[in-house]
Amino acid sequence: MLPGTWPLLPSALALAAMAVVIIFAGVRLTRVADELADRTGLGDALGGALLLGAVTSLPGIVATATGALEGDPGFGLSNPIGGVAIQTVWLAIADLVYRRANLEHSAASLQNVMQSLILVALLSVPVMAYATPDLRLGWIHPLTLLIPVLYGYGLVLLRRMDRHPMWIPTHTSATVEQDPEEEGSDRSTRRLWSLLVSLGLVVGVAGWVIGQAGLGVVEGTGLPSGVVGFTLTTGVTSLPELVVLLTAVRMGALSLGVGNIIGGNTFDTLMIAVADAFYLDGPIYRDAGPVSLVLLGGTVLLTTVLTAGLVMRDRKGIGFEGILLPLIYAGTIALAVISR
């Protein structure tokens, strides 16, 4: 066992405990951030997506930084990639909950399509970095710096498109045109900011525990660290997104629910830059190994299938994307285990 690595049983118990913490604190954190976005005038697509994406991704950010700083490049890189993948599969689960029509059909939104395309562009950057592993700027890969630049430019494009849309989705009887408005609380803005910081600290500590416990599971089971990061730890850190998505679907806020998932996925790509920055032995793509590249390719495929579902908009049933997303996710994991 590596020095400082937790034993398997305490690691498993810690993951279970942190799942409970993440669900309760993470969901409350999301609601506080949502109210703050409206209270401070950041309720548009740009401000809301940025604020909500940041706060709901805190556990994943800390877990990613922990794995990279501890010197496990596969675990560090697979956490943000796995977050995008598992949250995309959450949409297939929500599709089963929403029985009136296909979820992607009813949640017609040009913003969601655009965010999916931005996500594909962002995921292409680490693929290019994998192909040029010896390039470096200090200890990071220079292409890592392109990730936040592309993310920022994507937000600018979303803002422009929101103000002057050039395409409008066809509205049908199954289309939910407007998300219901939630009533704000009577808490002061200062109180909301205090809650945001306090809950952020809670889920941040939970993210560190998840990172340490995930490394303990890797050491105790012998499983590839990339597979553990892609499935187990990201499954725990992404639980708030699943709960919020299912709640939004039950409320009828379909575009909001789907948009929060896709917007959160887009924000999660920034954690790839975090992983490279906190891995101090050189560019993380050089040392992460082929397993992480398999996981990355599978995540790109998941995103393109989701985008196709948003464009095609099958009207009835769960649609082809609802069937393909879990299959691609499971197939990616199987291929990663076999290819190690």
Side-chain angles (χ1 to χ4, degrees):
M1 179 177 294
L2 294 175
T5 303
W6 296 356
L8 179 59
L9 182 58
S11 296
L13 293 176
L15 283 173
M18 290 306 100
V20 177
V21 173
I22 288 292
I23 289 175
F24 284 97
V27 171
R28 191 177 179 190
L29 180 64
T30 302
R31 290 172 179 168
V32 171
D34 190 23
E35 187 171 347
L36 262 177
D38 293 333
R39 187 80 62 87
T40 59
L42 295 176
D44 57 10
L46 176 61
L50 182 60
L51 181 58
L52 287 174
V55 296
T56 57
S57 297
L58 275 174
I61 292 172
V62 177
T64 296
T66 299
L69 198 58
E70 291 289 334
D72 193 324
F75 184 81
L77 188 58
S78 65
N79 268 277
I81 298 171
V84 175
I86 190 65
Q87 286 163 195
T88 304
V89 176
W90 289 161
L91 288 172
I93 295 176
D95 221 341
L96 295 174
V97 174
Y98 188 71
R99 299 179 179 274
R100 300 178 190 173
N102 177 259
L103 180 61
E104 285 73 23
H105 176 98
S106 298
S109 170
L110 184 58
Q111 287 80 4
N112 289 341
V113 175
M114 186 63 179
Q115 286 198 94
S116 295
L117 294 174
I118 294 170
L119 179 56
V120 172
L122 288 165
L123 291 173
S124 70
V125 175
V127 174
M128 292 186 289
Y130 254 99
T132 54
D134 295 325
L135 295 179
R136 65 166 61 198
L137 186 63
W139 68 89
I140 68 173
H141 198 289
L143 286 178
T144 293
L145 302 177
L146 186 60
I147 294 175
V149 173
L150 285 177
Y151 178 80
Y153 184 62
L155 292 180
V156 172
L157 291 179
L158 281 171
R159 183 67 174 268
R160 286 171 52 189
M161 187 185 64
D162 188 52
R163 289 178 172 178
H164 306 289
M166 300 299 293
W167 296 90
I168 299 176
T170 301
H171 287 241
T172 70
S173 59
T175 303
V176 178
E177 299 187 17
Q178 186 176 359
D179 297 327
E181 295 290 335
E182 294 185 20
E183 294 184 1
S185 69
D186 56 358
R187 293 175 292 195
S188 67
T189 302
R190 183 177 180 179
R191 173 63 175 166
L192 289 172
W193 280 114
S194 299
L195 283 172
L196 185 73
V197 173
S198 300
L199 291 169
L201 289 174
V202 170
V203 297
V205 172
W208 178 83
V209 174
I210 290 167
Q212 293 289 350
L215 293 172
V217 171
V218 171
E219 184 70 18
T221 61
L223 290 170
S225 58
V227 173
V228 173
F230 189 78
T231 56
L232 186 60
T233 57
T234 54
V236 175
T237 57
S238 299
L239 284 174
E241 283 85 352
L242 175 61
V243 176
V244 171
L245 172 63
L246 296 179
T247 301
V249 169
R250 286 197 299 267
M251 290 170 52
L254 306 183
S255 295
L256 175 65
V258 175
N260 278 343
I261 289 292
I262 301 175
N265 284 351
T266 306
F267 187 90
D268 281 354
T269 58
L270 293 176
M271 287 194 282
I272 298 176
V274 171
D276 196 18
F278 277 81
Y279 183 68
L280 304 181
D281 295 332
I284 196 170
Y285 318 100
R286 182 195 63 191
D287 300 334
V291 169
S292 294
L293 187 57
V294 171
L295 300 176
L296 179 60
T299 303
V300 173
L301 183 57
L302 285 167
T303 305
T304 55
V305 169
L306 172 61
T307 307
L310 291 170
V311 173
M312 291 296 297
R313 298 179 64 200
D314 282 348
R315 183 158 184 170
K316 296 182 178 180
I318 61 175
F320 69 91
E321 73 281 0
I323 297 173
L324 287 178
L325 292 178
L327 293 177
I328 294 172
Y329 182 76
T332 300
I333 296 171
L335 186 59
V337 173
I338 294 172
S339 66
R340 69 169 177 154

